[in-house]
Amino acid sequence: MALKFYGISVPISIVLATVYFYWITREKPGKKRAGQFKDMDVVVHKKPSSCSVKAGRGDLVHVHYTGYLKSTGKIYETSREQNDPYVFKLGTCNTKGKPECLKGFEKGVLGMCAGEKRKVTLPPQLAFGKTGRPPDVPPNDSIVFQIECIDVDSFK
């Protein structure tokens, strides 16, 4: 028995294929791929129910963070050992080797709200680069930060 061809089946097939392609290539929840995150991976684990102030340049940001080496998973630095969160002015670098001096860390904290948690994966060029940070971070290694924003003090 031969199959009968119906003209309407072609447009329906095109629409179904388009919907399927859109479905599999859409942005997944939790992933943030905005313009500021082109070269690094940022996953928002927890978003606060309300956000009145977002972290911006010049703001005092209170965070807890843990930095891991992507190659080994070893913790190389954390602020969670202290009771108080790590406080710094976003957009300034006072002491080399501190997280706020890493271009990627600053980009990862930018726009965070109090109560928000993010996982930020930095490529070597936005972390410690070709030199690394001996003896903790080898050269050309990616860094993974688990960041929890405790508070944002804005002076604008």
Side-chain angles (χ1 to χ4, degrees), residues 62-65 78-87 150:
H62 305 248
V63 296
H64 271 304
Y65 69 91
T78 184
S79 70
R80 296 197 178 271
E81 293 171 349
Q82 295 92 24
N83 291 334
D84 295 328
Y86 182 67
V87 180
I150 306 299

Side-chain angles (χ1 to χ4, degrees), residues 114-128:
E116 187 173 342
K117 292 182 181 182
R118 290 184 181 179
K119 175 184 170 189
V120 180
T121 305
L122 307 180
Q125 68 269 18
L126 293 177
F128 293 106

Side-chain angles (χ1 to χ4, degrees), residues 24-52:
I24 62 171
T25 59
R26 75 189 190 288
E27 188 174 326
K28 308 292 189 277
K31 287 273 188 180
K32 187 152 184 179
R33 289 283 182 188
Q36 67 183 22
F37 301 130
K38 286 180 187 169
D39 44 3
M40 57 191 226
D41 188 33
V42 175
V43 178
V44 178
H45 287 294
K46 181 184 171 201
K47 204 77 165 138
S49 57
S50 67
C51 179
S52 58

Side-chain angles (χ1 to χ4, degrees), residues 4 21 25 30 32 34-35 44 50 54 57 59 64-65 69 72 85 97 102 104 109 127 130 137 140 142-143 146 156:
K4 193 169 183 181
F21 180 75
T25 59
K32 187 152 184 179
V44 178
S50 67
K54 290 188 176 192
R57 295 198 188 285
D59 295 344
H64 271 304
Y65 69 91
L69 302 177
T72 62
L102 300 177
V109 172
K130 295 177 183 176
V137 181
N140 291 319
S142 294
I143 303 291
Q146 294 283 350
K156 296 174 186 164

